[in-house]
Amino acid sequence: MSVPLYQLSEQQPTVWQPTTVEEALILKRKWGENSVLVSGGTWLRTRWENGLSSPPQHLISLGRIPALSGLTLDGQGHVHIGPALCLADVMENQMMKQRCGLLVQACSEIAAPSVRNLASIGGNVMTRTGDLIPVLLVMNAQVVVSDGQKERVLWLEEWLQDLNYSSFEVMTRIVVPGQVSAQMNDAGQTPTELRNTDAEHSFYLKVGRREAFTPSVVTVAGRIRIEADGTVAAIALSAGGGSAVPSRFTELEDALAGKLLIKEVLQILHKGVSDSFDAVADDYAGAAYRKMTAANLIVSECYKAWRKGGGAGASRS
């Protein structure tokens, strides 16, 4: 069983360093609401410093649990990311650059290098408002959580909407279907999933004031593939930012499938994003501004993708 790493002053929490998920959850059950599971701790620290929440009596660090810091590729090409990996580790990993380039880009646009050396990918997701979530949503990511005895697998969007999520569970993996970069395989051939890559477009955009380490105003992500005839073959769109819980625009995606992105369709998309985005107003921006910004960014990127893919009917735009 773990022992305290050190005992801080009376007003400060005791820090524990378990070496297994099971041990971490034993400690969590022991201390209950008087404890917090923590990895990098950058988000929690800002909340404590800003008076949004009080430091707990016990901090249960996940940093010394090897199983939470792995990065592997399974036989189906799915990337398994340990939630305790810091953003800098994700950015510097060659496999991540080759298979999850959009996620690497998103990591590079979060906070400052010093923060990215501490902040974990799992911590960003656990906030439920993190800037990585829109990217993970359009990449159809899953999360794996454990209660110390058994694991359960959920789609990220399902997990975000789970209002009964237990605080006595630990996220053990984030599973992402990897997107391979355009390069030859060992046989000197382009992998099947890379053919016609000019017709596929991915994007991640953020409007914010990160130089002051404040929440982003709007964060959007998307993936879109255009057929040779200019119609939308596949599309995934999401938005978040500030205190909003990011989400996919699944109804809009279904409506766009098989369509040409002419002016009338783009207008429908703009209105749909603006109406559907559950933006939250704060001291930095109002909900209406966030909705408009998200809609503008997404429509602009979809139009770019359409033109890149051939833009059939573009003269009508």
Side-chain angles (χ1 to χ4, degrees):
M1 175 59 64
S2 298
V3 296
L5 174 64
Y6 53 84
Q7 176 73 55
L8 300 175
S9 62
E10 186 176 355
Q11 293 78 21
Q12 300 298 322
T14 301
V15 179
W16 301 78
Q17 290 196 325
T19 57
T20 67
V21 169
E22 293 78 11
E23 191 177 343
L25 287 168
I26 288 173
L27 291 169
K28 177 62 181 173
R29 292 189 180 94
K30 178 178 180 180
W31 302 117
E33 296 302 316
N34 294 319
S35 65
V36 169
L37 295 163
V38 60
S39 185
T42 55
W43 182 77
L44 289 171
R45 180 177 175 179
T46 59
R47 291 182 62 82
W48 298 333
E49 291 176 345
N50 292 326
L52 299 175
S53 62
S54 301
Q57 295 179 14
H58 301 273
L59 288 179
I60 304 169
S61 172
L62 304 176
R64 290 195 176 182
I65 302 178
L68 300 184
S69 298
L71 187 55
T72 59
L73 183 68
D74 67 21
Q76 295 179 304
H78 301 323
V79 180
H80 294 246
I81 306 170
L85 279 173
C86 70
L87 304 188
D89 287 339
V90 173
M91 290 167 53
E92 294 166 4
N93 185 271
Q94 280 302 120
M95 181 179 71
M96 292 299 294
K97 292 179 181 179
Q98 293 173 354
R99 307 193 74 88
C100 300
L102 193 61
L103 182 58
V104 170
Q105 177 194 341
C107 288
S108 72
E109 297 185 26
I110 291 178
S114 58
V115 175
R116 294 196 291 266
N117 284 322
L118 290 174
S120 66
I121 184 170
N124 189 277
V125 174
M126 285 296 298
T127 67
R128 279 180 157 74
T129 59
D131 287 338
L132 295 181
I133 296 176
V135 172
L136 291 168
L137 284 171
V138 300
M139 296 180 78
N140 297 315
Q142 295 176 308
V143 295
V144 183
V145 296
S146 171
D147 63 3
Q149 297 183 351
K150 61 181 182 299
E151 290 184 330
R152 60 192 184 110
V153 182
L154 301 93
W155 294 106
L156 176 56
E157 189 165 21
E158 177 187 5
W159 179 82
L160 290 170
Q161 297 170 355
D162 184 3
L163 300 179
N164 298 316
Y165 177 77
S166 172
S167 61
F168 299 101
E169 287 184 318
V170 169
M171 184 181 297
T172 56
R173 294 192 306 284
I174 299 170
V175 183
V176 178
Q179 299 301 299
V180 186
S181 63
Q183 62 181 9
M184 295 297 183
N185 60 21
D186 292 340
Q189 299 173 334
T190 303
T192 302
E193 63 266 39
L194 298 181
R195 292 170 187 161
N196 301 320
T197 52
D198 285 345
E200 186 161 321
H201 178 69
S202 299
F203 62 89
Y204 172 79
L205 298 168
K206 184 176 70 177
V207 175
R209 304 173 179 86
R210 278 301 178 184
E211 65 273 14
F213 194 33
T214 56
S216 59
V217 174
V218 170
T219 306
V220 299
R223 295 170 59 201
I224 180 170
R225 183 164 56 85
I226 306 297
E227 295 283 15
D229 63 359
T231 58
V232 175
I235 188 168
L237 304 169
S238 68
S243 300
V245 177
S247 61
R248 284 271 296 269
F249 298 103
T250 51
E251 291 186 6
L252 281 172
E253 294 168 6
D254 292 341
L256 291 173
K259 297 287 198 310
L260 294 171
L261 293 184
I262 56 176
K263 181 178 180 179
E264 293 81 2
V265 176
L266 291 173
Q267 289 173 335
I268 292 172
L269 173 60
H270 191 282
K271 185 178 187 303
V273 170
S274 183
D275 290 346
S276 303
F277 180 29
D278 192 14
V280 179
D282 59 21
D283 293 339
Y284 298 103
Y289 173 78
R290 294 175 192 268
K291 286 172 173 286
M292 179 185 67
T293 302
N296 288 347
L297 292 173
I298 287 176
V299 167
S300 175
E301 289 298 319
C302 286
Y303 182 68
K304 289 178 186 178
W306 187 48
R307 294 300 297 263
K308 178 182 176 182
S315 60
R316 293 180 57 192
S317 60

